[in-house]
Amino acid sequence: MKIISGGLEIREFGPQDAAPVAAFVAAGDRTALPPGSPGAVADVDEWLSEVHQRRLDGEGVLLAIVEQTTGKIVGSIGLRDADWEAGRTEIGYGMHTSQRGRGYATEAARAVGRWALTDGGMRRVQLRSRVDNVASLRVAEKAGYQREGTLRMAEQEGCEAHDLAVFSMIAPEATTHEQADRSSSL
């Protein structure tokens, strides 16, 4: 799977990503990598060979966010907890600290959400963010997700419980926004 949108190529991780993934891991900065990514350089090749299993098992997909002009991985985005019968999944993303504030997360969240709701066969894409993560809340809003409410004390980090904002994008919205985008570019 590959999505081209707003100067980004959003695609599955593959063997061609061994060097940049190893560099992130070696530097101890895995902010551009998805949850479950390798913790040691020695594990990178194995992780890259198994990362597609999630998609093959129908559970979701892990994608690299690549800046088209440079070919550099700037972040990752994924769909998880796919429920094909209910037609719903959850989206999550992470950007390398040096690439934040450039609109990449917003563009990727919009593009992958719309893909999931059109070509991906989903009816609902959910996004959750801690309420104190202002940047992530703005990404969700700017990407076209609608805020639905707050899950109080829903995430535990260390000894602290945090509230989560819940957002969603549903199939009719994705189709409407996609048609508006096409007509505005004509």
Side-chain angles (χ1 to χ4, degrees):
M1 127 178 217
K2 185 191 314 187
I3 302 168
I4 305 295
S5 183
L8 299 176
E9 179 181 316
I10 305 160
R11 57 160 175 77
E12 289 187 271
F13 283 92
Q16 74 276 16
D17 299 318
V21 170
F24 289 136
V25 173
D29 184 356
R30 294 176 30 219
T31 56
L33 300 176
S37 60
V41 172
D43 299 330
V44 169
D45 288 336
E46 180 180 356
W47 179 76
L48 287 171
S49 71
E50 296 173 355
V51 74
H52 304 287
Q53 194 60 45
R54 185 181 187 121
R55 176 181 47 81
L56 297 173
D57 291 343
E59 297 170 6
V61 63
L62 298 175
L63 305 168
I65 303 171
V66 180
E67 188 179 55
Q68 275 189 293
T69 56
T70 64
K72 180 177 175 181
I73 295 175
V74 297
S76 64
I77 191 162
L79 299 172
R80 66 177 185 203
D81 300 328
D83 182 333
W84 293 98
E85 189 174 321
R88 68 175 178 254
T89 190
E90 184 166 344
I91 194 167
Y93 47 84
M95 298 304 299
H96 190 273
T97 51
S98 68
Q99 302 299 316
R100 293 179 183 164
R102 298 177 185 210
Y104 294 152
T106 299
E107 185 60 38
R110 178 185 303 118
V112 173
R114 287 182 184 173
W115 175 88
L117 296 168
T118 54
D119 298 335
M122 292 291 159
R123 291 190 304 263
R124 172 187 170 84
V125 177
Q126 180 172 290
L127 187 156
R128 293 184 295 170
S129 173
R130 281 183 32 179
V131 297
D132 60 349
N133 186 341
V134 176
S136 191
L137 297 174
R138 288 195 36 85
V139 164
E141 292 165 352
K142 289 170 70 178
Y145 291 79
Q146 301 299 309
R147 189 167 182 164
E148 296 181 333
T150 303
L151 299 173
R152 296 171 39 195
M153 300 180 76
E155 182 175 84
Q156 188 75 23
E157 185 178 324
C159 296
E160 290 189 53
H162 299 277
D163 294 348
L164 295 175
V166 178
F167 294 83
S168 72
M169 185 184 287
I170 58 173
E173 295 168 351
T175 306
T176 301
H177 291 302
E178 194 169 282
Q179 289 170 347
D181 287 350
R182 283 186 190 137
S183 65
S184 68
S185 65
L186 295 177

